[in-house]
Amino acid sequence: MKVLLLLAAVVAIGQAHLCLVFPKQRGNITGLNMAGADNCLLVKDAPCGGRPAEMPEVTFESGMNATIIFQKNLDHWVMATPGMFEINLWGMKGKMNLMTVPDMGPNMGQPSGTLYTVSVPMPKMEMEKAILQVVYITKNPMAPAMFYQCADVNVMMKR
């Protein structure tokens, strides 16, 4: 019985995921509709899970709200210690936390596959080739502490 519990814990640890849908995460997003998608598993090498930078495909307007869409691809919610998602912007001045989103809702923990659409304020400064980072902080002792996804973006003043 203990062996089965240990095996289940190892499988759970190896398969937690976070996907960044918009702006599109680095790399590809294949398998998004399947819980446990390999392209959504980045647990090492903060801030971006070891994926290399790409040319920004999205430009957000400085000082305005931007819509960010991400998916909890595999759930690790624990009632005693509910986790959260952080949305950060990395640039020349380091990391800026734009928003923290609790991992809870009507069911006290959204299931695998839940899409989150949030409106976050962009800083009132220009940032070329910035990194938009979403972090799933699980607070689950049976799972990795954090999962990362990044997208390369620009933040520009309206011209």
Side-chain angles (χ1 to χ4, degrees):
M1 183 65 167
K2 287 182 182 179
V3 172
L4 288 176
L5 287 173
L6 181 61
L7 180 60
V10 169
V11 169
I13 288 171
Q15 295 190 355
H17 299 66
L18 166 70
C19 305
L20 181 53
V21 179
F22 184 82
K24 186 189 86 53
Q25 68 191 29
R26 289 179 176 180
N28 70 53
I29 203 160
T30 305
L32 175 70
N33 292 328
M34 295 175 10
D38 287 340
N39 286 314
C40 301
L41 171 63
L42 300 177
V43 296
K44 297 180 182 174
D45 302 323
C48 296
R51 288 205 171 144
E54 298 177 350
M55 290 302 296
E57 295 180 7
V58 174
T59 298
F60 294 116
E61 189 176 335
S62 171
M64 301 301 289
N65 286 342
T67 299
I68 310 298
I69 304 170
F70 58 95
Q71 179 195 56
K72 181 183 0 177
N73 187 256
L74 195 64
D75 182 35
H76 279 293
W77 185 81
V78 175
M79 183 183 295
T81 56
M84 68 190 82
F85 301 92
E86 277 188 1
I87 301 171
N88 302 308
L89 193 63
W90 291 75
M92 296 289 287
K93 295 183 178 183
K95 178 175 88 169
M96 287 183 268
N97 178 261
L98 301 178
M99 180 175 280
T100 300
V101 179
D103 182 18
M104 59 179 54
N107 299 323
M108 294 300 294
Q110 299 301 332
S112 300
T114 297
L115 284 173
Y116 292 79
T117 302
V118 296
S119 181
V120 298
M122 287 290 121
K124 293 180 180 179
M125 65 175 72
E126 291 200 351
M127 299 175 71
E128 288 190 64
K129 297 183 181 177
I131 300 169
L132 182 88
Q133 176 199 52
V134 179
V135 182
Y136 179 13
I137 303 167
T138 66
K139 292 190 176 182
N140 180 338
M142 298 300 294
M146 295 182 202
F147 298 90
Y148 307 97
Q149 284 295 348
C150 291
D152 297 284
V153 300
N154 292 316
V155 179
M156 306 299 285
M157 297 286 192
K158 188 173 183 177
R159 304 208 189 274

